[in-house]
C-alpha cells in the first residue's frame, strides 16, 4: 500500500461514534449548511418505508439534521411510491425530472437527476433496499462534511454478511472493483466499500462530476472526485453492518462488466472494447447464450445543464 494511502487511512477513516450527534448539529447550525437525503428506488416496497420512517423520525422530527428527504422512483411496478410517501418522504418519479431528456435505466441516471429536485448543500445517497436500517448511516457520513470544511465526499464502510457469513458480501467489490482500483488508481486502495451505495458529498462537487448512468456510478464518482479534489478531500466512516437484498450471480456479472467499462473509459476514454457481455443460461436444448449491452452512457456534469443553471440563478 502506498505511504500516502496509509496516512490517509489514519487521517480520513472514522467511526460514526467519533462525531456525537450534538456536535454535528452544532456544526450545522454554525455553518448554515442544508442536508438532502436521496433514496433511489426501484420496486423496494418492502424496505423503503422503514428507511424513510427512521430518517423522518430520528433526523427530522427529533433533531433538525435532515432538511429534505426525497425518494426518486425509477419506474417501480409495486407500491414503492405509496409506501415511501406514507412514511413521510417526498416522492418524485425519475421521468418527471428533466423530461426533455428521455430517461435511461440505471441507478446513476436516478442519482444524477436527483440533483435537479433537491436543494441541500450536502446530498446524502442511501440505497432503498437496506434492512434493519439505522440513522447512523446518515449521521456517520454527513457528519464529516458539516464539521470538516476540507472534506468533500464521504463513503460509508461496513460489514456485508452473505447468507449469515460475515464479510462475504460485496462480491463484485472483491472480484472487480478492488483489483481495478489497486492496479490503476492505487490512491483509492484504502476504501473499504468503494461500490457502497451510502455516501454523502457537497453539492459543489457533485454538480461538477459526470454520472455513469448504470452500475458504474460509484466507481466513476470516486475516480473523478480523486482527480478533481484530491485524496485528502475524500473520507470514509464505519457505520457497522449493512444488510440488504443480494443479487444472483448473473446480475453480478453484468454489474462487473459495467464497472470494468467505466474504469476503461476513464483509463483511455477509448471505444475499442466491445461494450457487451454474453452469459449462458440452461434452456430446453442445453446452454443458451444471452447477450446484454453494458451501459456505457454517461450524463454530463449537472452544472452544464441549462435547467440547473436557471435554478441556481433564480
Amino acid at each position: 500500500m502506498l505511504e500516502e494511502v496509509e496516512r490517509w487511512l489514519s487521517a480520513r477513516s472514522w467511526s460514526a461514534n467519533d462525531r456525537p450527534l450534538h456536535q454535528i448539529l452544532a456544526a450545522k447550525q454554525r455553518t448554515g449548511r442544508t442536508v438532502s437525503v436521496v433514496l433511489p428506488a426501484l420496486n423496494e416496497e418492502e424496505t423503503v418505508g422503514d428507511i424513510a420512517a427512521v430518517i423522518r423520525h430520528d433526523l427530522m422530527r427529533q433533531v433538525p439534521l435532515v432538511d429534505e428527504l426525497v425518494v426518486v422512483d425509477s419506474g417501480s411496478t409495486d407500491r414503492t411510491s405509496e409506501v415511501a410517501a406514507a412514511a413521510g418522504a417526498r416522492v418524485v418519479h425519475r421521468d418527471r425530472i428533466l423530461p426533455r431528456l428521455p430517461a435511461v435505466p440505471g441507478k446513476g441516471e436516478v442519482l444524477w437527476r436527483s440533483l435537479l429536485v433537491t436543494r441541500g448543500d450536502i446530498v446524502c445517497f442511501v440505497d432503498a433496499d437496506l434492512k434493519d436500517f439505522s440513522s447512523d448511516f446518515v449521521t456517520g457520513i454527513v457528519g464529516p462534511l458539516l464539521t470538516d470544511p476540507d472534506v468533500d465526499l464521504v463513503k460509508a464502510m461496513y460489514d456485508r454478511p452473505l447468507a449469515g457469513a460475515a464479510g462475504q458480501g460485496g462480491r463484485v467489490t472483491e472480484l472487480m472493483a478492488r483489483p481495478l482500483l489497486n492496479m490503476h488508481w492505487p490512491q483509492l486502495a484504502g476504501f473499504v466499500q468503494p461500490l457502497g451505495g451510502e455516501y454523502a458529498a457537497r453539492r459543489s462537487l457533485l454538480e461538477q462530476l459526470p454520472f455513469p448512468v448504470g452500475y458504474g456510478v460509484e466507481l466513476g464518482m470516486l475516480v473523478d472526485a480523486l482527480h478533481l479534489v484530491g485524496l485528502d478531500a475524500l473520507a470514509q466512516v464505519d457505520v457497522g453492518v449493512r444488510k440488504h437484498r443480494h443479487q444472483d450471480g448473473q446480475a453480478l456479472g453484468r454489474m462487473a462488466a459495467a464497472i470494468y467499462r467505466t474504469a476503461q473509459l476513464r483509463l483511455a476514454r477509448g471505444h475499442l472494447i466491445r461494450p457487451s457481455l454474453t452469459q449462458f443460461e440452461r434452456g430446453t436444448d442445453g446452454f443458451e447464450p444471452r447477450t446484454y449491452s453494458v451501459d456505457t452512457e454517461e450524463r454530463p456534469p449537472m452544472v452544464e445543464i441549462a435547467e440547473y443553471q436557471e435554478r441556481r440563478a433564480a
Side-chain angles (χ1 to χ4, degrees), residues 82-185:
E82 293 87 341
V83 170
R90 176 163 63 94
V91 179
V92 184
H93 196 282
R94 173 201 63 194
D95 296 347
R96 294 177 183 171
I97 307 170
L98 203 60
R100 71 173 175 86
L101 290 180
V104 296
K107 177 184 177 183
E109 177 82 352
V110 174
L111 301 184
W112 182 73
R113 289 176 185 259
S114 75
L115 297 181
L116 258 171
V117 293
T118 55
R119 293 280 183 176
D121 302 305
I122 293 167
V123 183
C124 173
F125 298 120
V126 176
D127 280 351
D129 66 342
L130 301 188
K131 302 173 182 177
D132 301 329
F133 177 77
S134 164
S135 57
D136 287 347
F137 273 73
V138 175
T139 57
I141 57 180
V142 166
L145 294 164
L146 289 170
T147 59
D148 191 334
D150 295 327
V151 174
D152 287 331
L153 184 149
V154 182
K155 296 278 293 190
M157 57 178 168
Y158 33 65
D159 295 316
R160 295 182 68 179
L162 176 64
Q168 295 303 305
R171 291 161 286 173
V172 176
T173 292
E174 300 303 329
L175 297 175
M176 177 58 71
R178 199 176 307 287
L180 280 172
L181 293 175
N182 275 265
M183 288 187 288
H184 298 297
W185 295 281

Side-chain angles (χ1 to χ4, degrees), residues 42-57:
L42 176 63
N43 294 328
E44 303 293 357
E45 67 174 356
E46 293 185 6
T47 50
V48 69
D50 290 340
I51 298 170
V54 168
I55 295 172
R56 182 83 178 165
H57 176 268

